[in-house]
Amino acid sequence: MVSIKDVAKIAGVSIATVSRVFNSPQLVSPRTRAMVYSVAQKLNYIPNYSAKTLRKSIVGSIIVLIPDVSNLFFIDVVHGVQDYAESRDYNVLMGRFNISIFNVEKYFQLVKSKAADGIVLATGHDRVYPKISDAQNVNIVTIEEPYMDNPYVYIDNFKAIKQVIDYLLSKGHRRFGFIGFKSERSRFTAFKKIIKENGIEYDEGLVRLGEETAEDMPESARIYIKNLVEKKKIPDAIVCASDVLAAGAIKWLIKSGLRVPEDVSVTGFDGIDIVNLVTPSITTVDQPRHRMGMEAAKILINKIEGKDFDEKVRLPTRLIIGESA
Amino acid sequence: MVSIKDVAKIAGVSIATVSRVFNSPQLVSPRTRAMVYSVAQKLNYIPNYSAKTLRKSIVGSIIVLIPDVSNLFFIDVVHGVQDYAESRDYNVLMGRFNISIFNVEKYFQLVKSKAADGIVLATGHDRVYPKISDAQNVNIVTIEEPYMDNPYVYIDNFKAIKQVIDYLLSKGHRRFGFIGFKSERSRFTAFKKIIKENGIEYDEGLVRLGEETAEDMPESARIYIKNLVEKKKIPDAIVCASDVLAAGAIKWLIKSGLRVPEDVSVTGFDGIDIVNLVTPSITTVDQPRHRMGMEAAKILINKIEGKDFDEKVRLPTRLIIGESA
DNA sequence: AGTGTGAATGTAAATGTTTTCATTATCGTA
DNA sequence: TACGATAATGAAAACATTTACATTCACACT
């Protein structure tokens, strides 16, 4: 490996000068600068990352942790984190954790060992939190829900669900089903509250809460629809807490001989690409996924660099009208 | 930051001993070991990653580069890389490159600067290759197609497409359409060759090659179907080079009043989750995406550590019978 | 001539490890 | 008791940087 020493020796200057050529060129005379630069080029010199980060306190890389890689919602968030990080010259390490495996700690260790500067934790699972024993001195930004005193980026689930239900009410629907997650309760809570506010009685039999992984969702939707069909208790409209759930529900409704939206309306949540790939296309709540990632990364990097940062950022959602409702 | 020095001082031993407690405990007497360990625990000591990797030559982290994060095929590959890397105690940095932006070089720099040990390059775009000026001394494993003399993991596209066409022929189809990518030609080449071998004439008008990003695919499928419908030239079966293309084709066929598979059969390629979310479910070629990532990571890490590794690994595909053909 | 200023460069310390080599302690065996 | 082998530990070099501080030099001004 060619080091700064080799460059210095051949260029006939001190290593300090070589370092300056790369880090603060304005401190070096144009002549030496050009000379050192050409020697470095010729030797194919590239500064060693470990040595650099050992000396400086900031590493220049952040971690983004998502629960489920096969869920496009999170992928879009990662995308956003990457885009912003890139603009600030940071690398992004992507990790994932299984709700069962809880290997979140490992990533905390990585930050503590200064392999990375901080973490964007993209999740709403409160169940993950208690397992994190020691999150002191670790820069964290969460998405969806706050975690301890850390800054976070979120959307207004209540408002979003209200928008959905108002839309469904305007279409004349009166009997509402809901399918969501055990781990994410705020959309479910919003659903219950809002239908009650509209004088509609809440029917436990029209509701199901399942697991949140992309693998489990279609199965959860299948069971839900199967139960409704068997009990011959078909709601006018089914509100789903994610697009994948909605796609699954639509699929099984059609398989059961029901028409969407003529017999049953279905709405999704997230706004990922599949809403336009299925037939009928899904009416859904568009979350600014990419932007959520960008904002989270922005807060994190500002915090890392000791700059001002927002304690919390709320981003707007938008109802996308498809053909499924 | 608490360093190895602090631990050594408080434990009353040398820093060498502390280092040994963590790296080769069998060299340290049980007594000292336990003592040092408890001091380290109390002080919350975590070895500094940069210092460690500066001293050792292996960093313990690899990069996986994919062209398009919103394509679930690549995400599954990344998943595989991560799973294998984890088993060998490596971290994974995920990068993506846009066909237009070509920021691949950046990741090569990262390896050259010893921020990572090597790269899994998951792509079939030969167009990327020429842009990589200097790939010497960088450990690379590619997926799908070879790049220079580097090892790679691949599938037999010809055999896979043959399996698809044989299946369609067995269902009595005789007029074949194809929709694929400008950048990935081997499936297209296989398609042309195989239908000719079966005495079917190749019709340029039933073929379309578009861009490969997940964003562009549905649009490409829409245009393709629109053209067919306008020209009233509807094939018996449409072979698609990806599942997303197939989903798009199905969607627009249905919108045009055609039934799938009654009027037109459609097949996909990849085997990603959406094949079961759309109606009808897609008949497709299942690629061992996760395993492809695993194998690539295995080759790479073996190469990094100077162990024996396979120069190329071919993995089997499998026809999944759905409802779309 | 002497002094002060600022630019350009160099010296050396500091960052936190791992590991080679040397030293000391322990213990069994002759 | 002495010796050798082995186990346990320490001292210090090496890894490749950045940067505080020191030095040198040219030049302008008194």
Side-chain angles (χ1 to χ4, degrees), chain B residues 241-274:
Chain B
S242 86
D243 290 333
V244 178
L245 280 177
I250 291 172
K251 183 192 170 80
W252 294 105
L253 284 168
I254 293 175
K255 271 218 194 296
S256 308
L258 291 158
R259 291 164 308 163
V260 179
E262 293 80 356
D263 300 325
V264 189
S265 282
V266 175
T267 64
F269 206 107
D270 285 348
I272 60 181
D273 286 351
I274 62 158

PDB file of all heavy atoms in Angstrom, chain B residues 241-274:
ATOM      1  N   ALA B 241     -39.445 -10.353 -19.399  1.00  0.00           N
ATOM      2  CA  ALA B 241     -38.117 -10.552 -18.821  1.00  0.00           C
ATOM      3  C   ALA B 241     -38.058 -10.215 -17.337  1.00  0.00           C
ATOM      4  O   ALA B 241     -36.997 -10.303 -16.710  1.00  0.00           O
ATOM      5  CB  ALA B 241     -37.088  -9.733 -19.578  1.00  0.00           C
ATOM      6  N   SER B 242     -39.187  -9.790 -16.760  1.00  0.00           N
ATOM      7  CA  SER B 242     -39.234  -9.573 -15.311  1.00  0.00           C
ATOM      8  C   SER B 242     -40.678  -9.657 -14.833  1.00  0.00           C
ATOM      9  O   SER B 242     -41.610  -9.518 -15.629  1.00  0.00           O
ATOM     10  CB  SER B 242     -38.636  -8.227 -14.921  1.00  0.00           C
ATOM     11  OG  SER B 242     -39.617  -7.211 -14.997  1.00  0.00           O
ATOM     12  N   ASP B 243     -40.841  -9.863 -13.545  1.00  0.00           N
ATOM     13  CA  ASP B 243     -42.188  -9.968 -12.979  1.00  0.00           C
ATOM     14  C   ASP B 243     -42.923  -8.636 -13.010  1.00  0.00           C
ATOM     15  O   ASP B 243     -44.133  -8.586 -13.194  1.00  0.00           O
ATOM     16  CB  ASP B 243     -42.114 -10.480 -11.538  1.00  0.00           C
ATOM     17  CG  ASP B 243     -41.700 -11.938 -11.473  1.00  0.00           C
ATOM     18  OD1 ASP B 243     -41.962 -12.666 -12.448  1.00  0.00           O
ATOM     19  OD2 ASP B 243     -41.111 -12.337 -10.454  1.00  0.00           O
ATOM     20  N   VAL B 244     -42.184  -7.560 -12.804  1.00  0.00           N
ATOM     21  CA  VAL B 244     -42.824  -6.247 -12.809  1.00  0.00           C
ATOM     22  C   VAL B 244     -43.387  -5.957 -14.203  1.00  0.00           C
ATOM     23  O   VAL B 244     -44.503  -5.444 -14.346  1.00  0.00           O
ATOM     24  CB  VAL B 244     -41.844  -5.140 -12.371  1.00  0.00           C
ATOM     25  CG1 VAL B 244     -42.507  -3.775 -12.424  1.00  0.00           C
ATOM     26  CG2 VAL B 244     -41.336  -5.410 -10.960  1.00  0.00           C
ATOM     27  N   LEU B 245     -42.632  -6.311 -15.223  1.00  0.00           N
ATOM     28  CA  LEU B 245     -43.134  -6.163 -16.595  1.00  0.00           C
ATOM     29  C   LEU B 245     -44.395  -7.001 -16.785  1.00  0.00           C
ATOM     30  O   LEU B 245     -45.383  -6.535 -17.375  1.00  0.00           O
ATOM     31  CB  LEU B 245     -42.073  -6.624 -17.602  1.00  0.00           C
ATOM     32  CG  LEU B 245     -40.948  -5.654 -17.936  1.00  0.00           C
ATOM     33  CD1 LEU B 245     -39.958  -6.315 -18.887  1.00  0.00           C
ATOM     34  CD2 LEU B 245     -41.495  -4.362 -18.554  1.00  0.00           C
ATOM     35  N   ALA B 246     -44.360  -8.226 -16.275  1.00  0.00           N
ATOM     36  CA  ALA B 246     -45.509  -9.118 -16.423  1.00  0.00           C
ATOM     37  C   ALA B 246     -46.731  -8.539 -15.721  1.00  0.00           C
ATOM     38  O   ALA B 246     -47.844  -8.525 -16.278  1.00  0.00           O
ATOM     39  CB  ALA B 246     -45.176 -10.497 -15.875  1.00  0.00           C
ATOM     40  N   ALA B 247     -46.525  -8.027 -14.519  1.00  0.00           N
ATOM     41  CA  ALA B 247     -47.645  -7.436 -13.773  1.00  0.00           C
ATOM     42  C   ALA B 247     -48.219  -6.264 -14.550  1.00  0.00           C
ATOM     43  O   ALA B 247     -49.450  -6.108 -14.657  1.00  0.00           O
ATOM     44  CB  ALA B 247     -47.165  -6.989 -12.388  1.00  0.00           C
ATOM     45  N   GLY B 248     -47.341  -5.443 -15.096  1.00  0.00           N
ATOM     46  CA  GLY B 248     -47.791  -4.301 -15.887  1.00  0.00           C
ATOM     47  C   GLY B 248     -48.567  -4.753 -17.115  1.00  0.00           C
ATOM     48  O   GLY B 248     -49.631  -4.216 -17.433  1.00  0.00           O
ATOM     49  N   ALA B 249     -48.029  -5.756 -17.790  1.00  0.00           N
ATOM     50  CA  ALA B 249     -48.697  -6.257 -19.001  1.00  0.00           C
ATOM     51  C   ALA B 249     -50.086  -6.771 -18.671  1.00  0.00           C
ATOM     52  O   ALA B 249     -51.066  -6.448 -19.353  1.00  0.00           O
ATOM     53  CB  ALA B 249     -47.848  -7.356 -19.639  1.00  0.00           C
ATOM     54  N   ILE B 250     -50.193  -7.551 -17.604  1.00  0.00           N
ATOM     55  CA  ILE B 250     -51.488  -8.104 -17.195  1.00  0.00           C
ATOM     56  C   ILE B 250     -52.483  -6.979 -16.921  1.00  0.00           C
ATOM     57  O   ILE B 250     -53.619  -6.987 -17.381  1.00  0.00           O
ATOM     58  CB  ILE B 250     -51.331  -8.993 -15.945  1.00  0.00           C
ATOM     59  CG1 ILE B 250     -50.575 -10.272 -16.311  1.00  0.00           C
ATOM     60  CG2 ILE B 250     -52.687  -9.324 -15.333  1.00  0.00           C
ATOM     61  CD1 ILE B 250     -50.200 -11.143 -15.120  1.00  0.00           C
ATOM     62  N   LYS B 251     -51.993  -6.004 -16.184  1.00  0.00           N
ATOM     63  CA  LYS B 251     -52.860  -4.882 -15.829  1.00  0.00           C
ATOM     64  C   LYS B 251     -53.441  -4.202 -17.074  1.00  0.00           C
ATOM     65  O   LYS B 251     -54.647  -3.963 -17.171  1.00  0.00           O
ATOM     66  CB  LYS B 251     -52.069  -3.871 -15.016  1.00  0.00           C
ATOM     67  CG  LYS B 251     -52.902  -2.694 -14.538  1.00  0.00           C
ATOM     68  CD  LYS B 251     -52.034  -1.599 -13.994  1.00  0.00           C
ATOM     69  CE  LYS B 251     -52.875  -0.360 -13.750  1.00  0.00           C
ATOM     70  NZ  LYS B 251     -53.617  -0.468 -12.480  1.00  0.00           N
ATOM     71  N   TRP B 252     -52.595  -3.920 -18.031  1.00  0.00           N
ATOM     72  CA  TRP B 252     -53.051  -3.183 -19.207  1.00  0.00           C
ATOM     73  C   TRP B 252     -53.835  -4.058 -20.176  1.00  0.00           C
ATOM     74  O   TRP B 252     -54.713  -3.561 -20.902  1.00  0.00           O
ATOM     75  CB  TRP B 252     -51.882  -2.476 -19.892  1.00  0.00           C
ATOM     76  CG  TRP B 252     -51.335  -1.395 -19.003  1.00  0.00           C
ATOM     77  CD1 TRP B 252     -50.193  -1.416 -18.283  1.00  0.00           C
ATOM     78  CD2 TRP B 252     -51.992  -0.157 -18.676  1.00  0.00           C
ATOM     79  NE1 TRP B 252     -50.059  -0.288 -17.525  1.00  0.00           N
ATOM     80  CE2 TRP B 252     -51.142   0.510 -17.752  1.00  0.00           C
ATOM     81  CE3 TRP B 252     -53.199   0.450 -19.060  1.00  0.00           C
ATOM     82  CZ2 TRP B 252     -51.475   1.757 -17.216  1.00  0.00           C
ATOM     83  CZ3 TRP B 252     -53.511   1.699 -18.526  1.00  0.00           C
ATOM     84  CH2 TRP B 252     -52.663   2.336 -17.622  1.00  0.00           C
ATOM     85  N   LEU B 253     -53.555  -5.341 -20.175  1.00  0.00           N
ATOM     86  CA  LEU B 253     -54.377  -6.249 -20.975  1.00  0.00           C
ATOM     87  C   LEU B 253     -55.809  -6.247 -20.449  1.00  0.00           C
ATOM     88  O   LEU B 253     -56.768  -6.126 -21.220  1.00  0.00           O
ATOM     89  CB  LEU B 253     -53.807  -7.681 -20.930  1.00  0.00           C
ATOM     90  CG  LEU B 253     -52.569  -7.933 -21.795  1.00  0.00           C
ATOM     91  CD1 LEU B 253     -51.930  -9.270 -21.446  1.00  0.00           C
ATOM     92  CD2 LEU B 253     -52.941  -7.883 -23.292  1.00  0.00           C
ATOM     93  N   ILE B 254     -55.925  -6.372 -19.122  1.00  0.00           N
ATOM     94  CA  ILE B 254     -57.262  -6.381 -18.512  1.00  0.00           C
ATOM     95  C   ILE B 254     -57.991  -5.073 -18.801  1.00  0.00           C
ATOM     96  O   ILE B 254     -59.165  -5.049 -19.166  1.00  0.00           O
ATOM     97  CB  ILE B 254     -57.160  -6.632 -16.991  1.00  0.00           C
ATOM     98  CG1 ILE B 254     -56.649  -8.063 -16.730  1.00  0.00           C
ATOM     99  CG2 ILE B 254     -58.515  -6.427 -16.318  1.00  0.00           C
ATOM    100  CD1 ILE B 254     -56.388  -8.381 -15.272  1.00  0.00           C
ATOM    101  N   LYS B 255     -57.254  -3.982 -18.666  1.00  0.00           N
ATOM    102  CA  LYS B 255     -57.833  -2.662 -18.937  1.00  0.00           C
ATOM    103  C   LYS B 255     -58.316  -2.556 -20.381  1.00  0.00           C
ATOM    104  O   LYS B 255     -59.259  -1.813 -20.679  1.00  0.00           O
ATOM    105  CB  LYS B 255     -56.793  -1.570 -18.703  1.00  0.00           C
ATOM    106  CG  LYS B 255     -56.750  -1.041 -17.288  1.00  0.00           C
ATOM    107  CD  LYS B 255     -56.490   0.470 -17.312  1.00  0.00           C
ATOM    108  CE  LYS B 255     -56.096   1.005 -15.955  1.00  0.00           C
ATOM    109  NZ  LYS B 255     -57.128   0.886 -14.923  1.00  0.00           N
ATOM    110  N   SER B 256     -57.644  -3.290 -21.269  1.00  0.00           N
ATOM    111  CA  SER B 256     -58.033  -3.242 -22.679  1.00  0.00           C
ATOM    112  C   SER B 256     -59.156  -4.225 -22.983  1.00  0.00           C
ATOM    113  O   SER B 256     -59.499  -4.446 -24.143  1.00  0.00           O
ATOM    114  CB  SER B 256     -56.834  -3.581 -23.567  1.00  0.00           C
ATOM    115  OG  SER B 256     -55.734  -2.777 -23.233  1.00  0.00           O
ATOM    116  N   GLY B 257     -59.678  -4.839 -21.951  1.00  0.00           N
ATOM    117  CA  GLY B 257     -60.814  -5.735 -22.149  1.00  0.00           C
ATOM    118  C   GLY B 257     -60.425  -7.161 -22.505  1.00  0.00           C
ATOM    119  O   GLY B 257     -61.283  -7.979 -22.830  1.00  0.00           O
ATOM    120  N   LEU B 258     -59.149  -7.468 -22.431  1.00  0.00           N
ATOM    121  CA  LEU B 258     -58.717  -8.838 -22.722  1.00  0.00           C
ATOM    122  C   LEU B 258     -58.606  -9.625 -21.423  1.00  0.00           C
ATOM    123  O   LEU B 258     -58.329  -9.063 -20.369  1.00  0.00           O
ATOM    124  CB  LEU B 258     -57.361  -8.811 -23.435  1.00  0.00           C
ATOM    125  CG  LEU B 258     -57.424  -8.245 -24.853  1.00  0.00           C
ATOM    126  CD1 LEU B 258     -56.057  -7.745 -25.292  1.00  0.00           C
ATOM    127  CD2 LEU B 258     -57.950  -9.300 -25.815  1.00  0.00           C
ATOM    128  N   ARG B 259     -58.818 -10.943 -21.547  1.00  0.00           N
ATOM    129  CA  ARG B 259     -58.754 -11.766 -20.345  1.00  0.00           C
ATOM    130  C   ARG B 259     -57.412 -12.511 -20.294  1.00  0.00           C
ATOM    131  O   ARG B 259     -56.918 -12.990 -21.306  1.00  0.00           O
ATOM    132  CB  ARG B 259     -59.902 -12.770 -20.318  1.00  0.00           C
ATOM    133  CG  ARG B 259     -61.269 -12.140 -20.106  1.00  0.00           C
ATOM    134  CD  ARG B 259     -62.354 -13.130 -20.482  1.00  0.00           C
ATOM    135  NE  ARG B 259     -62.099 -13.649 -21.840  1.00  0.00           N
ATOM    136  CZ  ARG B 259     -62.668 -14.763 -22.316  1.00  0.00           C
ATOM    137  NH1 ARG B 259     -63.496 -15.476 -21.567  1.00  0.00           N
ATOM    138  NH2 ARG B 259     -62.401 -15.163 -23.546  1.00  0.00           N
ATOM    139  N   VAL B 260     -56.844 -12.574 -19.077  1.00  0.00           N
ATOM    140  CA  VAL B 260     -55.608 -13.330 -18.853  1.00  0.00           C
ATOM    141  C   VAL B 260     -55.953 -14.473 -17.902  1.00  0.00           C
ATOM    142  O   VAL B 260     -56.504 -14.222 -16.830  1.00  0.00           O
ATOM    143  CB  VAL B 260     -54.526 -12.434 -18.223  1.00  0.00           C
ATOM    144  CG1 VAL B 260     -53.250 -13.237 -17.965  1.00  0.00           C
ATOM    145  CG2 VAL B 260     -54.229 -11.223 -19.103  1.00  0.00           C
ATOM    146  N   PRO B 261     -55.716 -15.720 -18.243  1.00  0.00           N
ATOM    147  CA  PRO B 261     -54.991 -16.199 -19.422  1.00  0.00           C
ATOM    148  C   PRO B 261     -55.890 -16.617 -20.592  1.00  0.00           C
ATOM    149  O   PRO B 261     -55.354 -17.108 -21.580  1.00  0.00           O
ATOM    150  CB  PRO B 261     -54.290 -17.438 -18.863  1.00  0.00           C
ATOM    151  CG  PRO B 261     -55.272 -18.002 -17.890  1.00  0.00           C
ATOM    152  CD  PRO B 261     -56.011 -16.827 -17.307  1.00  0.00           C
ATOM    153  N   GLU B 262     -57.217 -16.428 -20.480  1.00  0.00           N
ATOM    154  CA  GLU B 262     -58.105 -16.956 -21.517  1.00  0.00           C
ATOM    155  C   GLU B 262     -57.754 -16.433 -22.919  1.00  0.00           C
ATOM    156  O   GLU B 262     -57.663 -17.210 -23.875  1.00  0.00           O
ATOM    157  CB  GLU B 262     -59.578 -16.656 -21.202  1.00  0.00           C
ATOM    158  CG  GLU B 262     -60.122 -17.396 -19.975  1.00  0.00           C
ATOM    159  CD  GLU B 262     -59.739 -16.732 -18.656  1.00  0.00           C
ATOM    160  OE1 GLU B 262     -58.980 -15.735 -18.675  1.00  0.00           O
ATOM    161  OE2 GLU B 262     -60.187 -17.210 -17.597  1.00  0.00           O
ATOM    162  N   ASP B 263     -57.559 -15.093 -23.035  1.00  0.00           N
ATOM    163  CA  ASP B 263     -57.237 -14.526 -24.348  1.00  0.00           C
ATOM    164  C   ASP B 263     -55.726 -14.488 -24.601  1.00  0.00           C
ATOM    165  O   ASP B 263     -55.259 -14.780 -25.701  1.00  0.00           O
ATOM    166  CB  ASP B 263     -57.803 -13.106 -24.460  1.00  0.00           C
ATOM    167  CG  ASP B 263     -59.328 -13.105 -24.306  1.00  0.00           C
ATOM    168  OD1 ASP B 263     -59.960 -14.078 -24.772  1.00  0.00           O
ATOM    169  OD2 ASP B 263     -59.870 -12.162 -23.712  1.00  0.00           O
ATOM    170  N   VAL B 264     -54.998 -14.102 -23.586  1.00  0.00           N
ATOM    171  CA  VAL B 264     -53.541 -14.005 -23.715  1.00  0.00           C
ATOM    172  C   VAL B 264     -52.886 -14.576 -22.456  1.00  0.00           C
ATOM    173  O   VAL B 264     -53.330 -14.299 -21.350  1.00  0.00           O
ATOM    174  CB  VAL B 264     -53.085 -12.523 -23.832  1.00  0.00           C
ATOM    175  CG1 VAL B 264     -51.597 -12.458 -24.182  1.00  0.00           C
ATOM    176  CG2 VAL B 264     -53.915 -11.764 -24.842  1.00  0.00           C
ATOM    177  N   SER B 265     -51.853 -15.377 -22.674  1.00  0.00           N
ATOM    178  CA  SER B 265     -51.065 -15.846 -21.533  1.00  0.00           C
ATOM    179  C   SER B 265     -49.906 -14.879 -21.296  1.00  0.00           C
ATOM    180  O   SER B 265     -49.407 -14.267 -22.243  1.00  0.00           O
ATOM    181  CB  SER B 265     -50.511 -17.248 -21.793  1.00  0.00           C
ATOM    182  OG  SER B 265     -51.507 -18.211 -21.611  1.00  0.00           O
ATOM    183  N   VAL B 266     -49.488 -14.756 -20.041  1.00  0.00           N
ATOM    184  CA  VAL B 266     -48.361 -13.880 -19.712  1.00  0.00           C
ATOM    185  C   VAL B 266     -47.437 -14.626 -18.750  1.00  0.00           C
ATOM    186  O   VAL B 266     -47.915 -15.274 -17.813  1.00  0.00           O
ATOM    187  CB  VAL B 266     -48.864 -12.575 -19.045  1.00  0.00           C
ATOM    188  CG1 VAL B 266     -47.670 -11.721 -18.604  1.00  0.00           C
ATOM    189  CG2 VAL B 266     -49.760 -11.780 -19.986  1.00  0.00           C
ATOM    190  N   THR B 267     -46.135 -14.547 -18.996  1.00  0.00           N
ATOM    191  CA  THR B 267     -45.193 -15.134 -18.029  1.00  0.00           C
ATOM    192  C   THR B 267     -44.197 -14.090 -17.573  1.00  0.00           C
ATOM    193  O   THR B 267     -43.874 -13.159 -18.297  1.00  0.00           O
ATOM    194  CB  THR B 267     -44.391 -16.307 -18.641  1.00  0.00           C
ATOM    195  OG1 THR B 267     -43.563 -15.809 -19.701  1.00  0.00           O
ATOM    196  CG2 THR B 267     -45.309 -17.382 -19.185  1.00  0.00           C
ATOM    197  N   GLY B 268     -43.716 -14.273 -16.345  1.00  0.00           N
ATOM    198  CA  GLY B 268     -42.762 -13.318 -15.776  1.00  0.00           C
ATOM    199  C   GLY B 268     -41.367 -13.909 -15.662  1.00  0.00           C
ATOM    200  O   GLY B 268     -41.057 -14.938 -16.247  1.00  0.00           O
ATOM    201  N   PHE B 269     -40.547 -13.225 -14.886  1.00  0.00           N
ATOM    202  CA  PHE B 269     -39.185 -13.702 -14.652  1.00  0.00           C
ATOM    203  C   PHE B 269     -38.694 -13.049 -13.369  1.00  0.00           C
ATOM    204  O   PHE B 269     -38.797 -11.832 -13.215  1.00  0.00           O
ATOM    205  CB  PHE B 269     -38.270 -13.291 -15.817  1.00  0.00           C
ATOM    206  CG  PHE B 269     -37.084 -14.211 -16.006  1.00  0.00           C
ATOM    207  CD1 PHE B 269     -37.041 -15.101 -17.069  1.00  0.00           C
ATOM    208  CD2 PHE B 269     -36.021 -14.191 -15.113  1.00  0.00           C
ATOM    209  CE1 PHE B 269     -35.956 -15.956 -17.255  1.00  0.00           C
ATOM    210  CE2 PHE B 269     -34.932 -15.041 -15.288  1.00  0.00           C
ATOM    211  CZ  PHE B 269     -34.896 -15.930 -16.365  1.00  0.00           C
ATOM    212  N   ASP B 270     -38.200 -13.816 -12.450  1.00  0.00           N
ATOM    213  CA  ASP B 270     -37.597 -13.393 -11.173  1.00  0.00           C
ATOM    214  C   ASP B 270     -38.159 -14.189  -9.993  1.00  0.00           C
ATOM    215  O   ASP B 270     -37.422 -14.738  -9.204  1.00  0.00           O
ATOM    216  CB  ASP B 270     -37.763 -11.898 -10.849  1.00  0.00           C
ATOM    217  CG  ASP B 270     -36.845 -11.027 -11.687  1.00  0.00           C
ATOM    218  OD1 ASP B 270     -35.945 -11.575 -12.337  1.00  0.00           O
ATOM    219  OD2 ASP B 270     -37.039  -9.796 -11.691  1.00  0.00           O
ATOM    220  N   GLY B 271     -39.501 -14.157  -9.891  1.00  0.00           N
ATOM    221  CA  GLY B 271     -40.105 -14.878  -8.777  1.00  0.00           C
ATOM    222  C   GLY B 271     -40.258 -14.049  -7.523  1.00  0.00           C
ATOM    223  O   GLY B 271     -40.327 -14.581  -6.423  1.00  0.00           O
ATOM    224  N   ILE B 272     -40.338 -12.724  -7.674  1.00  0.00           N
ATOM    225  CA  ILE B 272     -40.488 -11.871  -6.495  1.00  0.00           C
ATOM    226  C   ILE B 272     -41.912 -11.924  -5.957  1.00  0.00           C
ATOM    227  O   ILE B 272     -42.816 -12.455  -6.589  1.00  0.00           O
ATOM    228  CB  ILE B 272     -40.086 -10.412  -6.795  1.00  0.00           C
ATOM    229  CG1 ILE B 272     -40.953  -9.818  -7.902  1.00  0.00           C
ATOM    230  CG2 ILE B 272     -38.611 -10.356  -7.178  1.00  0.00           C
ATOM    231  CD1 ILE B 272     -40.577  -8.379  -8.236  1.00  0.00           C
ATOM    232  N   ASP B 273     -42.096 -11.362  -4.760  1.00  0.00           N
ATOM    233  CA  ASP B 273     -43.357 -11.490  -4.040  1.00  0.00           C
ATOM    234  C   ASP B 273     -44.601 -11.090  -4.823  1.00  0.00           C
ATOM    235  O   ASP B 273     -45.661 -11.674  -4.637  1.00  0.00           O
ATOM    236  CB  ASP B 273     -43.315 -10.654  -2.751  1.00  0.00           C
ATOM    237  CG  ASP B 273     -42.431 -11.304  -1.699  1.00  0.00           C
ATOM    238  OD1 ASP B 273     -42.016 -12.455  -1.919  1.00  0.00           O
ATOM    239  OD2 ASP B 273     -42.168 -10.663  -0.668  1.00  0.00           O
ATOM    240  N   ILE B 274     -44.479 -10.082  -5.670  1.00  0.00           N
ATOM    241  CA  ILE B 274     -45.697  -9.584  -6.300  1.00  0.00           C
ATOM    242  C   ILE B 274     -46.385 -10.609  -7.194  1.00  0.00           C
ATOM    243  O   ILE B 274     -47.560 -10.461  -7.490  1.00  0.00           O
ATOM    244  CB  ILE B 274     -45.478  -8.299  -7.134  1.00  0.00           C
ATOM    245  CG1 ILE B 274     -44.515  -8.530  -8.290  1.00  0.00           C
ATOM    246  CG2 ILE B 274     -45.037  -7.142  -6.295  1.00  0.00           C
ATOM    247  CD1 ILE B 274     -44.701  -7.480  -9.391  1.00  0.00           C
TER     248      ILE B 274
END
